Structures are given as structure tokens and as C-alpha cells.
Amino acid sequence: MIRNVIVHLFNDQPVVADMFEMPSAGDSGLVCTNLRTLDGRRPVFIERSSSTFFFPYQHIRFVEIVDDRSTDPDTVTAPAESTSPTSAPVDEDLEIDEDFLRRIREA
């Protein structure tokens, strides 16, 4: 069971669901259960959240599968390397042009 999958539907708010298995290339839609809104409520268009639902792929923009391995105490994962520009290694030989910085600050 894959829990807390966010299904982004066309022309509607995203919903959270639990999938029985990962979708395969031969599927024509998404089968899920335990359907709820992002704040945990029952969507207005369903009768029971615990039912099994089938969403044809033509009604789905995309499916967001959240990686919950970090909350599982049995799974040990290495921290992901950050790719943001602020965490790039600093070149020790880089010279700072103080005149350039002064002109930027005055602008």
C-alpha cells in the first residue's frame, strides 16, 4: 500500500489517496482508496472515503508520490545533496571586486 499520494485532477482541487500499487504502463487509470482532501476531509463528490476509486488518466494532470522513507525508522537513507546555488562550494582563490560591490549597493 502506497500512502498519502496526492492526485492532481483537471479542473479540481488535489486529493490525497492511498494506492494499492505503483501504476504500470499498461494501466488506463489510477486505482486508489481512502480518498480525502488535503486538509483530511471527505470530498463533496464521494459518498464514502473508504471505497475503491478508479480515476481515468484523462482526468488526472499528474500524481505526486511523496517519499515517506525519512519518517520510517526502519529505513536509513543518506541525506540528499543540495543542488541550490547557495550551497555551492566556495572557491578559496576567488577575489571579491569591492568596487563592483560598492556600485551595486549604491544603485
Side-chain angles (χ1 to χ4, degrees):
M1 177 79 53
I2 303 168
R3 301 203 183 276
N4 301 326
V5 173
I6 302 172
V7 181
H8 296 264
L9 303 169
F10 280 114
N11 300 322
D12 207 347
Q13 294 294 317
V15 291
V16 180
D18 297 338
M19 293 188 324
F20 297 106
E21 60 186 15
M22 288 292 287
S24 67
D27 293 345
S28 60
L30 184 73
V31 178
C32 57
T33 188
N34 194 17
L35 200 64
R36 58 211 180 272
T37 60
L38 291 176
D39 60 1
R41 297 183 186 155
R42 179 183 59 84
V44 296
F45 56 87
I46 65 169
E47 183 65 30
R48 294 185 182 151
S49 294
S50 60
S51 300
T52 301
F53 300 93
F54 177 81
F55 290 102
Y57 284 142
Q58 64 191 24
H59 296 287
I60 298 175
R61 285 183 30 222
F62 64 94
V63 178
E64 185 177 352
I65 301 174
V66 182
D67 185 13
D68 284 338
R69 290 183 293 177
S70 60
T71 60
D72 187 5
D74 296 333
T75 306
V76 179
T77 57
E81 293 184 22
S82 177
T83 57
S84 66
T86 58
S87 65
V90 178
D91 186 6
E92 297 293 330
D93 297 329
L94 182 66
E95 294 183 23
I96 298 175
D97 186 0
E98 294 296 331
D99 185 48
F100 176 71
L101 291 175
R102 181 183 48 76
R103 285 185 281 154
I104 291 175
R105 290 181 188 131
E106 290 175 357

